[in-house]
Amino acid sequence: MDLAHLWFWIIGILFIGYFVLDGFDFGVGMSLPFLGRDDVGRRQVINTIGPVWDLNETWLIVAGACLFAAFPQWYATLFSGFYLPLLVILVTLILRGVSFEYRHQRDSLRWKAGFDTMIVVGSAVPAFLWGVAFANIVNGVPLDAGHNFTGSLFTLLNPYSLLGGLTTLLLFFVNGLLFVALKTDGQVREDARSLAFRSGILALVVAAGFLAWTVLAHFSTPVLLFAVVAAVCLLVSIACNLRGVEGWAFGFGAVVVLTAVLTLWCALYPDVMPASNDPAHSLTIENASSNTYTLQVMSWAALIFLPLVVLYQGWTYWIFRRRVTRSHIENAAAAH
């Protein structure tokens, strides 16, 4: 395998890391209206991701930077053609980040409610639009001979991509609920488990439909294999949640997201941006990649720094592994 193909899979791994980690972040944010019965409960929910949400987003930054360096033509076509959806994702991510930092700056319930709304919107919109974007990348978009996107916003809002957006939205929501159940106690934990079961059934139906569509449209053995593994793991995750084995439920939920993204990545290979109007206009790994020297330098940098990033992130999760209890938040508030 040459370096261009290797970097296609490395970038895939980076996006998988982002969707697995920031995916449950999005789910936690979307769960606020359903789990936080009072301000203490909402703080429990938010504090589950308080120490890690910004670290999870670094995977997107690294993936985008690697995409720019390894496949500049792909980066240019993607960001110019998908400019509006990606801009909306960026703005909502900024709003979400601001909300985490400023929510606790005043005791006003109205102040907190406003930022809670921004957290929900800043979680739900990217969760949906990432699915729409990646479904369009896999399914193909109209490109001219210069690899420029020739469609419109409505071209991107097709049935397959909308189903993809709904799939990521529900999978992230379920995984977020499982993470809240794993990290909290009391009423919040029970509500999260109950809602995770109900939404998990809906996610199973929607995801099965999207993955079946993907397999039929882009059939290969790896695509079929990863789609089946994703469906089975979602069933196992739901069953573990019913038994109260929250760690296993969340772990299998993470594998669902991992294998679902792998299904799309295998369906895309060896293209990076298929042209739906004329296959001759498609961007492939070969015609979109940087030169060999650039890829060699990137490979050495990845070999040195990527393990350090993974180790640091693992250490962070280990340090903040304890449950966020209601009594801890109430005692901290009383101390102030």
Side-chain angles (χ1 to χ4, degrees):
M1 180 182 293
D2 63 29
L3 287 177
H5 288 255
L6 175 63
W7 270 98
F8 173 84
W9 293 107
I10 291 176
I11 290 171
I13 291 171
L14 293 173
F15 274 112
I16 287 170
Y18 172 67
F19 285 130
V20 170
L21 295 173
D22 216 26
F24 76 76
D25 272 6
F26 292 146
V28 171
M30 287 186 281
S31 72
L32 271 177
F34 307 100
L35 301 183
R37 301 191 180 189
D38 56 17
D39 186 57
V40 175
R42 286 187 287 274
R43 285 180 63 187
Q44 267 188 284
V45 173
I46 293 172
N47 286 2
T48 61
I49 58 173
V52 298
W53 69 268
D54 49 353
L55 184 59
N56 292 341
E57 286 190 352
T58 59
W59 285 80
L60 175 62
I61 298 171
V62 175
C66 290
L67 180 64
F68 171 77
F71 297 96
Q73 184 63 61
W74 184 12
Y75 181 94
T77 300
L78 176 63
F79 277 76
S80 60
F82 292 33
Y83 178 79
L84 184 57
L86 293 175
L87 178 63
V88 172
I89 289 174
L90 176 62
V91 170
T92 51
L93 288 178
I94 292 172
L95 290 177
R96 188 177 72 129
V98 168
S99 301
F100 286 135
E101 298 297 333
Y102 282 88
R103 182 189 187 276
H104 63 281
Q105 297 298 325
R106 290 186 184 177
D107 290 331
S108 168
L109 292 179
R110 184 176 181 181
W111 171 275
K112 293 179 180 179
F115 283 114
D116 286 347
T117 300
M118 290 169 61
I119 291 173
V120 174
V121 174
S123 300
V125 172
F128 177 74
L129 289 182
W130 278 126
V132 171
F134 270 78
N136 274 297
I137 292 172
V138 171
N139 211 37
V141 292
L143 301 175
D144 62 20
H147 308 301
N148 299 302
F149 177 69
T150 58
S152 65
L153 175 63
F154 296 103
T155 305
L156 303 178
L157 302 179
N158 53 78
Y160 177 75
S161 68
L162 293 175
L163 185 59
L166 188 58
T167 298
T168 53
L169 180 76
L170 289 172
L171 290 180
F172 293 168
F173 182 58
V174 173
N175 234 26
L177 291 169
L178 294 174
F179 187 73
V180 171
L182 176 64
K183 292 285 290 180
T184 60
D185 67 348
Q187 191 64 53
V188 170
R189 177 187 179 189
E190 295 304 318
D191 289 347
R193 285 185 55 200
S194 176
L195 185 56
F197 172 72
R198 300 195 302 272
S199 56
I201 298 300
L202 178 59
L204 179 62
V205 174
V206 173
F210 176 69
L211 292 174
W213 192 338
T214 303
V215 170
L216 291 174
H218 307 277
F219 180 81
S220 69
T221 301
V223 170
L224 176 61
L225 175 63
F226 286 124
V228 171
V229 172
V232 171
C233 286
L234 185 51
L235 281 170
V236 175
S237 177
I238 293 171
C240 289
N241 178 56
L242 276 176
R243 297 185 61 184
V245 191
E246 292 138 348
W248 285 103
F250 176 71
F252 277 105
V255 175
V256 172
V257 177
L258 184 154
T259 49
V261 179
L262 268 177
T263 301
L264 295 179
W265 216 250
C266 289
L268 180 61
Y269 183 82
D271 290 330
V272 295
M273 184 73 79
S276 58
N277 54 325
D278 186 348
H281 297 168
S282 295
L283 277 170
T284 66
I285 293 175
E286 282 76 17
N287 66 18
S289 65
S290 294
N291 59 55
T292 302
Y293 178 74
T294 299
L295 297 178
Q296 286 176 342
V297 173
M298 291 178 62
S299 298
W300 282 109
L303 184 64
I304 295 170
F305 293 109
L306 190 57
L308 296 177
V309 172
V310 173
L311 287 172
Y312 176 73
Q313 184 144 32
W315 176 81
T316 303
Y317 275 92
W318 176 255
I319 292 297
F320 295 102
R321 66 188 182 278
R322 298 185 184 278
R323 289 186 183 270
V324 180
T325 64
R326 185 177 181 90
S327 61
H328 176 79
I329 292 176
E330 290 173 335
N331 291 338
H336 287 82

